[in-house]
Amino acid sequence: MISFRELYATAVLHKGGESAVESLLPKAKSASQLRKQSDAYYLSSLCLRIFRAGLKHDMVDRRWPAFEQAFNNFDPFLCAMLSDDELDVHMSNKSLIRHLGKIKSIRANGLFLQDVAKEAGSFGQWLADWPVEDTVGLWLALKKRGSQLGGMSGPYFLRMVGKDTFLITRDVAAVLVAQGVVEKAPTSQKELKKAEDTFKQWREECGRPYCEISRIVSMTTL
């Protein structure tokens, strides 16, 4: 297994120096920072990620203020209470992106956040308490309990809100395959756990958060 030191050296070579590499790294938020964010913030971010999937991000981002207005600033309770008739009204709103499945996911994920808040006190508390050592478990929980959070949507949502996570992008998957960790881009729970175990090894070696490690790994490919 290639060491993290070797990966970092390759990333530095590709990017032209350590400062260039460090300037590109995402930052994970602390547990206290995660707890401070409102449930509405998390629901808005979650839904934003869902609508970005498969679409140009800048186009979705330009329309997001209209979503905030239409969906009561993503108050989880109000979103969870949306009726079918109200969803139909939103589907006729030309200011929004009128994708029925994604519009419906706003209600479903409002319910999801409500349930989590009842269990943990708040969604931010739930994220903060989830151990980084079980990152794949958190991905699976988002997929199972939320709506339209399978594939990379769950991990990208976590990255957006600052919960530490690695991402298995195309470049990262290529490195994992080259190192013999997996035979192809991991999708099954067994393959994902193999990837997670590899990231744990790199994390123990360097002490960096997962988000920095996966970004550095992605810089090693050309």
Side-chain angles (χ1 to χ4, degrees):
M1 172 62 63
I2 191 170
S3 68
F4 179 79
R5 180 178 295 182
E6 293 174 277
L7 289 167
Y8 188 78
T10 302
V12 168
L13 180 64
H14 287 176
K15 295 300 179 182
E18 289 190 19
S19 60
V21 169
E22 297 295 331
S23 70
L24 295 171
L25 300 182
K27 298 300 179 184
K29 290 182 179 178
S30 67
S32 62
Q33 288 175 316
L34 291 171
R35 293 187 189 102
K36 287 179 181 177
Q37 295 288 1
S38 69
D39 287 351
Y41 161 79
Y42 285 114
L43 182 57
S44 177
S45 300
L46 189 154
C47 294
L48 176 60
R49 169 54 210 165
I50 289 170
F51 275 87
R52 279 179 174 178
L55 297 173
K56 291 184 177 180
H57 291 189
D58 59 349
M59 182 274 287
V60 178
D61 294 350
R62 285 196 302 271
R63 297 200 182 195
W64 209 245
F67 275 87
E68 293 279 357
Q69 182 177 5
F71 291 97
N72 298 292
N73 295 311
F74 287 96
D75 179 288
F77 175 77
L78 295 177
C79 288
M81 295 296 291
L82 287 167
S83 67
D84 288 343
D85 288 342
E86 288 173 312
L87 293 179
D88 287 341
V89 170
H90 290 310
M91 280 296 295
S92 65
N93 185 344
K94 294 182 179 180
S95 298
L96 306 179
I97 298 166
R98 292 172 290 173
H99 184 293
L100 182 57
K102 293 183 179 185
I103 290 288
K104 284 184 175 180
S105 76
I106 295 174
R107 178 173 63 187
N109 285 316
L111 288 166
F112 167 42
L113 264 73
Q114 286 274 94
D115 289 342
V116 168
K118 290 176 183 177
E119 298 166 8
S122 71
F123 193 81
Q125 183 72 52
W126 186 69
L127 288 181
D129 289 346
W130 198 285
V132 69
E133 293 79 12
D134 186 29
T135 293
V136 169
L138 180 53
W139 294 358
L140 295 174
L142 290 170
K143 178 181 178 180
K144 181 179 180 180
R145 301 186 62 179
S147 175
Q148 300 212 19
L149 291 175
M152 290 298 293
S153 287
Y156 272 119
F157 158 68
L158 296 175
R159 176 63 61 83
M160 286 170 62
V161 299
K163 173 65 176 178
D164 191 23
T165 185
F166 53 90
L167 296 177
I168 303 181
T169 62
R170 181 180 301 177
D171 290 338
V172 171
V175 173
L176 294 173
V177 170
Q179 293 302 310
V181 177
V182 291
E183 295 183 355
K184 57 182 178 62
T187 54
S188 70
Q189 189 170 346
K190 182 179 180 180
E191 293 169 332
L192 291 171
K193 291 299 290 183
K194 287 181 180 179
E196 183 173 48
D197 288 343
T198 301
F199 272 93
K200 286 178 181 177
Q201 292 180 38
W202 288 330
R203 184 170 176 262
E204 289 172 2
E205 178 187 345
C206 68
R208 289 176 179 265
Y210 282 150
C211 61
E212 293 187 13
I213 296 170
S214 66
R215 184 68 182 94
I216 290 167
V217 172
S218 73
M219 296 181 201
T220 65
T221 62
L222 290 176

